[in-house]
Amino acid sequence: MPQVFIIKVKHINKSARSQAFTLTDKVKEPLDLISHLPFRLAVVSNLLALDRDWKIRKLTDLEPREMRVLLNIGSYMPIKAADIAYQSRLDSYTVSRAVKKLLALNLIEARRDELKKNVKNLSLNEQGKVLYQKLTQAMDERARLLEEVLTDSEKSLFFNMLERIENKTEAILSAQASALIEAGQEAPADQKELIRWHKKTTGK
């Protein structure tokens, strides 16, 4: 029977954080990172990185991007690389590199789409399914511990807020990229992709 660890987390409110990290007087109007939403989301993202979790890291030598792509394939297969990029918000180049690594490690298989011959549908093979089950079990255990700080209604509201933040972020980046293109600048591939994602999200 696997060991169950009960973790008690002491809540740190804003005032306690402010006492620990005092804003500098060496620059004019320093940015208060404690109250900066994008920064705080990035901090949580850093903590939740798949390779930051020792229990998950012991399961595989895959890099985080490769694990994320494998998880997307396992949950939504058969799936196209472009759809993985959109669903996970990883740029297409990163997804392509991860797919090549997973193919080389014999964890996934690629089959030509019946309608679009230049597109390949990705699926886990048996070896990939085994790793997928191990990863999702570890992730579910972590998720249950994490969700203990939220009630069911708070969790539902939190997911709603995350969706709004994600969509707003996409809209901001897409509008910024479009404005720079209109100003005559040459857009990198990932910026063009952001515009395509936003059109897909909004249906425009």
Side-chain angles (χ1 to χ4, degrees):
M1 183 175 179
Q3 288 182 302
V4 178
F5 298 94
I6 299 175
I7 303 171
K8 294 183 178 180
V9 180
K10 184 178 179 181
H11 176 67
I12 302 177
N13 58 32
K14 183 177 183 300
S15 61
R17 286 181 180 273
S18 297
Q19 291 175 11
F21 302 99
T22 305
L23 285 174
T24 184
D25 59 358
K26 305 300 181 183
V27 296
K28 183 179 180 181
E29 298 181 355
L31 179 62
D32 184 359
L33 297 178
I34 296 169
S35 300
H36 191 259
L37 181 60
F39 184 85
R40 293 295 295 273
L41 289 172
V43 169
V44 176
S45 178
N46 289 339
L47 287 171
L48 292 177
L50 292 171
D51 64 337
R52 193 74 179 270
D53 188 316
W54 194 5
K55 189 173 184 180
I56 292 175
R57 198 164 66 196
K58 286 172 65 178
L59 297 174
T60 178
D61 292 329
L62 293 178
E63 296 292 331
R65 64 171 178 267
E66 294 152 5
M67 281 190 270
R68 289 177 66 183
V69 169
L70 182 138
L71 289 165
N72 270 270
I73 295 172
S75 290
Y76 304 110
M77 62 183 175
I79 186 171
K80 302 173 181 62
D83 291 333
I84 295 174
Y86 175 71
Q87 196 277 343
S88 63
R89 295 303 197 249
L90 291 169
D91 65 87
S92 291
Y93 177 70
T94 297
V95 172
S96 178
R97 288 178 61 195
V99 167
K100 287 180 181 178
K101 180 68 176 290
L102 296 173
L103 284 168
L105 293 173
N106 193 31
L107 292 169
I108 65 172
E109 56 187 33
R111 294 183 179 177
R112 292 190 182 280
D113 188 86
E114 293 181 0
L115 299 177
K116 298 180 179 180
K117 300 303 181 181
N118 61 328
V119 174
K120 293 183 178 180
N121 292 313
L122 304 170
S123 299
L124 299 181
N125 58 23
E126 291 306 314
Q127 184 175 333
K129 290 176 182 177
V130 171
L131 178 56
Y132 173 81
Q133 294 295 341
K134 291 179 180 179
L135 287 172
T136 54
Q137 181 179 352
M139 290 170 64
D140 278 342
E141 291 174 1
R142 182 174 69 167
R144 284 194 293 271
L145 290 171
L146 187 62
E147 290 168 10
E148 289 177 356
V149 300
L150 300 172
T151 64
D152 288 342
S153 59
E154 286 173 335
K155 179 182 171 183
S156 178
L157 179 61
F158 183 62
F159 275 122
N160 179 272
M161 289 189 290
L162 279 177
E163 183 176 3
R164 282 185 281 156
I165 290 171
E166 180 181 342
N167 290 340
K168 184 63 175 179
T169 303
E170 179 190 74
I172 292 170
L173 294 174
S174 174
Q176 177 179 274
S178 295
L180 290 172
I181 290 173
E182 290 174 6
Q185 297 195 34
E186 182 65 29
D190 65 323
Q191 298 301 303
K192 293 178 181 178
E193 189 168 46
L194 282 166
I195 295 172
R196 291 197 299 271
W197 286 350
H198 188 57
K199 289 180 178 178
K200 186 173 182 176
T201 299
T202 60
K204 297 179 181 180

